[in-house]
Amino acid sequence: QVHVVESGGGLVQPGGSLRLSCAASGSIFSIYDMGWHRQAPGKQRELVATITSGGTTTYADSVKGRFTISRDNAKRTVYLQMNSLRPDDTAVYYCVIKVGRKSLLQPPDDYWGQGTQVTVSS
């Protein structure tokens, strides 16, 4: 019923930039928080950034000042602008979207994107 599609990953040189997009579609009544996680080979998945429905953002210390999370509610899309990329940013990036139900008495569900590979290498 709910589909989440990521795009924007790829290969970039150190110091370069990428913008990831994550769009939700399907049976969606409302969207609450959205966020990005990443998982590098051999490492635990970590939280990268979040944004609430009110626009409040949080960032991991490792990306603060370099990454910016934003959202377009009309497009049901969350973005991650990544600047000054470093090799240790290499990971599979996953978006997550908290989807609300028609009844506010029902708890929202988290939906995850399929993941998009970001590789930072010269």
Side-chain angles (χ1 to χ4, degrees):
Q1 292 182 329
V2 177
H3 298 88
V4 180
V5 179
E6 300 182 32
S7 62
L11 175 65
V12 65
Q13 294 186 350
S17 298
L18 286 173
R19 189 175 81 154
L20 306 182
S21 299
C22 174
S25 63
S27 182
I28 299 172
F29 182 76
S30 62
I31 296 178
Y32 295 90
D33 298 351
M34 299 187 288
W36 292 91
H37 297 70
R38 68 184 182 185
Q39 187 166 24
K43 299 179 65 177
Q44 296 284 345
R45 182 174 298 188
E46 65 175 341
L47 178 66
V48 176
T50 64
I51 183 167
T52 70
S53 60
T56 301
T57 60
T58 65
Y59 298 94
D61 289 340
S62 59
V63 307
K64 193 172 299 182
R66 300 186 299 119
F67 290 10
T68 302
I69 187 171
S70 61
R71 61 191 288 167
D72 186 329
N73 292 329
K75 296 182 178 179
R76 297 175 174 176
T77 300
V78 60
Y79 305 95
L80 186 67
Q81 178 66 47
M82 304 183 294
N83 299 325
S84 302
L85 284 163
R86 305 166 180 168
D88 59 1
D89 293 319
T90 296
V92 177
Y93 285 71
Y94 300 90
C95 66
V96 61
I97 298 177
K98 188 179 295 292
V99 176
R101 302 178 183 180
K102 188 173 184 178
S103 173
L104 296 180
L105 298 178
Q106 300 294 325
D109 294 320
D110 290 338
Y111 290 88
W112 291 81
Q114 80 281 6
T116 185
Q117 177 70 49
V118 172
T119 302
V120 184
S121 176
S122 60

